[in-house]
Structures are given as C-alpha cells and as structure tokens.
C-alpha cells in the first residue's frame, strides 16, 4: 500500500460575492466581487494536502467549459495527480458563495460534472483506490460513488461528509475518523437514527463513537477542534487570527490533517497541525488561494 492520499470528490468553480451582511429572505443587497476561483470540497482538501507535502491523486470530473481551467488551477500547480479526472459534456461544478464582512459565508452548489462521479465511474479507478494509504471523501458526489469508493479502499477511509447527504450506513461507519463540525455531527447522528438533545461538542463526539465510528475529529471554528477515540476526548486549540474569509477553512483542516495522518502522525498531532493550517487559511480571500504550503509560517497557538 502506498503513502498516497486519493480524494474522490468535487471540483467547483467558486463565484465569490462580497456583501456587508447576508441578505434576509426576499431582500436584495448590493455587493462586490464576482470573481471565479478554484473550489469544491474535494479539490480544496486535495490541494491542502498536496501543499503540505503529501502525494495526492484525484478521482473526479469537470466540464468542457470555460470554468474548468480556473477550477483546476491549484490542483495542477500543487502537483495533484489528475489522471483520473475526466472532462465531460456537463458543466463544471459551480458554487455561488456569499461572504459577509465578518468572513462568514453562505454557499449554494450546482453539482454539474461532479454528479458523474458515480458507482461505475469510481469502479473504473478501483486500482488507484486499492493502493491508497488514505481515501478521503466528502458529500459533493453521488451517494453510490461514495459507497463504491469505500468498497474499493484497502487503506484508511477518512470522511468529511459535507454537505451531509444520505449515504450507505456501513460505508459511512468505515470512516476513521469522521471529520465534522457540530452542525454536520448532528445531521450524521440523525441519519444514523441517533436522537440527541445536546449540542455540546463532547456529547456529540461521544454519541458518534457510540454510533460506531472508530474515531471522530470535530472542527469547532475559532474554538478549535476535538479528537475522540476509544482512549478519550482531547481538545485541540486553534490560533487566534483575524478572519477575512472562512471559505474552505474546514477543507484546509481536512486536507492538512490527512497529509500528516498518512505520514504516521497520531490523530491528535495531525489535528494540532491541521488547526494551524485552517487558521492560516481564513486570513485571506478564497479557498485554495488562501492555503499555506510547507514553507509558510503557520500562526502559533
Ligand atoms: O468548503 C468550501 C467549498 O464548498 C467551496 O470551495 C465551494 O466550492 C463548496 O464546495
């Protein structure tokens, strides 16, 4: 088995709209921006991992349209192997992102070509999956593609089910760890039929362990993260930084986390590093454009 991370996921063109505050339902606001940058939760995580020195390959699809090249820019420049990325007649995945002045975002995603990453497509890359040290998955591809990716994995499965889509239960429970924020954790528990009143991160993590996950990494934004497994729950502190744009910060965390995990770091050490990478990324605009490489100085805790 290799030390390669294989990401089976989405590639989007991000249309970035800057507003003072998010509009209320039915309200029209004037904004600025309108630029296209590289995004997609899968691509973001792949780029973040590659920039931290990991060998990364991608299984995905883009369209045969003007959005494909900007969407692939950082995947190419960071050295991600794109031999399993196909070009289709669909449009490239598109994300419309509204970023308010405090750095918080709202996102609507049109899957486009990402919808082609289904059971058959993933199966056609079974060799790549079987040889991967880590297969990293999100929720922006079809559920049958997700299930098939887990099926072919001989190494470790890491899942960041964002957005939370309905997936095969036993495939989901292969995640070690499941990476989720508090909101996603609640939805995953609901999907697994677990009712929980508490929104306390420790309670959510404990419930995810009891539901059958071997390990849990919960991202808590400016409050840090936590790592939970059979040996207990550990809080991870994140550096305090001035947030300009939080788009893709969770992806920066997941990618950097896997880059360390595949090299043999413990869950806790990998999460400590990932928290610093995530904090670095919120200090400038965009998703992939804001990610550090191994030479950048990360903010200290
Ligand atoms: O997590 C941020 C990402 O979500 C954006 O890059 C956008 O493409 C959506 O997939």
């Amino acid at each position: 088995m290799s030390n390669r991370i294989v990401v089976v996921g989405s590639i989007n063109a991000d249309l970035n709209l800057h507003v003072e505050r998010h509009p209320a339902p039915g309200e029209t606001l004037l904004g600025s921006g309108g630029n296209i940058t590289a995004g997609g939760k899968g691509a973001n995580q792949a780029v973040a991992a590659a920039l931290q020195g990991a060998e990364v390959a991608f299984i995905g699809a883009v369209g045969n349209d003007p959005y494909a090249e900007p969407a692939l820019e950082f995947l190419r420049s960071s050295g991600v192997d794109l031999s399993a990325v196909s070009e289709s007649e669909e449009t490239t995945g598109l994300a419309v992102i509204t970023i308010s002045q405090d750095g918080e975002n709202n996102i609507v995603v049109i899957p486009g070509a990402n919808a082609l990453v289904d059971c058959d497509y993933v199966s056609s890359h079974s060799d790549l999956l079987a040889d991967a040290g880590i297969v990293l998955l999100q929720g922006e591809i079809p559920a049958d593609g997700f299930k098939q990716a887990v099926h072919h994995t001989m190494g470790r499965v890491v899942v960041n089910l964002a957005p939370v889509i309905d997936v095969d239960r036993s495939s989901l429970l292969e995640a070690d760890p499941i990476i989720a924020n508090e909101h996603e954790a609640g939805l995953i528990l609901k999907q697994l039929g677990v009712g929980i009143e508490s929104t306390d991160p420790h309670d959510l993590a404990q419930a995810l362990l009891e539901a059958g996950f071997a390990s849990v990494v919960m991202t808590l934004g400016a409050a840090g993260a936590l790592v939970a497994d059979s040996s207990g729950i550990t809080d991870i502190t994140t550096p305090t930084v001035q947030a300009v744009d939080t788009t893709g910060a969770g992806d920066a965390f997941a990618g950097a986390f896997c880059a360390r995990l595949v090299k043999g770091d413990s869950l806790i050490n990998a999460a400590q590093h990932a928290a610093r990478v995530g904090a670095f990324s919120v200090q400038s605009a965009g998703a992939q454009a804001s990610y550090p490489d191994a030479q950048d100085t990360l903010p200290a805790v």
Side-chain angles (χ1 to χ4, degrees):
M1 196 168 303
S2 72
N3 260 355
R4 191 181 308 120
I5 298 168
V6 176
V7 179
V8 188
S10 57
I11 302 171
N12 294 338
D14 287 354
L15 172 63
N16 302 283
L17 310 177
H18 295 269
V19 287
E20 202 174 307
R21 59 177 175 79
H22 292 291
E27 186 182 24
T28 301
L29 289 178
L30 294 179
S32 61
N35 57 317
I36 294 285
T37 55
K41 293 183 196 300
N44 293 348
Q45 295 181 19
V47 168
L51 289 174
Q52 292 302 305
E55 184 188 347
V56 184
F58 202 92
I59 298 175
V62 292
N64 177 13
D65 61 11
Y67 283 160
E69 272 314 307
L72 291 168
E73 178 189 351
F74 286 92
L75 285 164
R76 289 197 205 287
S77 64
S78 63
V80 173
D81 177 352
L82 300 178
S83 53
V85 172
S86 66
E87 191 183 284
S88 78
E89 291 307 313
E90 295 288 334
T91 53
T92 298
L94 177 69
V96 179
I97 307 180
T98 312
I99 306 133
S100 61
Q101 227 163 38
D102 60 4
E104 289 302 329
N105 61 67
N106 282 332
I107 305 179
V108 176
V109 174
I110 314 294
N114 297 312
L116 302 175
V117 188
D118 60 7
C119 177
D120 292 344
Y121 185 75
V122 171
S123 272
S124 69
H125 298 291
S126 58
D127 290 354
L128 193 55
L129 289 162
D131 186 49
I134 288 179
V135 172
L136 174 57
L137 299 161
Q138 308 77 29
E140 287 185 339
I141 58 166
D144 64 346
F146 180 102
K147 180 178 178 183
Q148 202 63 8
V150 175
H151 173 74
H152 288 295
T153 303
M154 314 289 280
R156 188 167 198 154
V157 176
V158 178
V159 175
N160 172 220
L161 197 65
V164 179
I165 56 167
D166 275 342
V167 290
D168 174 65
R169 180 189 179 92
S170 60
S171 306
L172 178 59
L173 288 171
E174 289 294 316
D176 179 16
I178 179 82
I179 303 176
N181 62 27
E182 295 140 287
H183 176 69
E184 291 153 2
L187 291 175
I188 291 166
L189 285 165
K190 195 171 167 199
Q191 182 173 151
L192 294 172
V194 178
I196 179 167
E197 301 256 306
S198 172
T199 54
D200 178 80
H202 280 235
D203 293 343
L204 290 166
Q206 188 58 42
L208 287 166
L209 290 179
E210 284 166 14
F213 290 104
S215 61
V216 177
V217 173
M218 199 169 296
T219 53
L220 305 169
L226 65 77
V227 171
D229 64 10
S230 57
S231 60
I233 300 181
T234 305
D235 292 307
I236 307 291
T237 312
T238 199
T240 304
V241 294
Q242 183 68 43
V244 170
D245 182 355
T246 57
T247 306
D251 300 329
F253 182 105
F257 174 83
C258 287
R260 285 299 180 97
L261 199 62
V262 84
K263 287 184 180 150
D265 268 24
S266 67
L267 293 173
I268 292 171
N269 288 347
Q272 283 167 337
H273 177 70
R276 296 178 68 200
V277 170
F280 184 103
S281 78
V282 305
Q283 298 176 112
S284 56
Q288 294 166 34
S290 69
Y291 294 171
D293 64 23
Q295 274 69 53
D296 283 311
T297 306
L298 299 176
V301 175

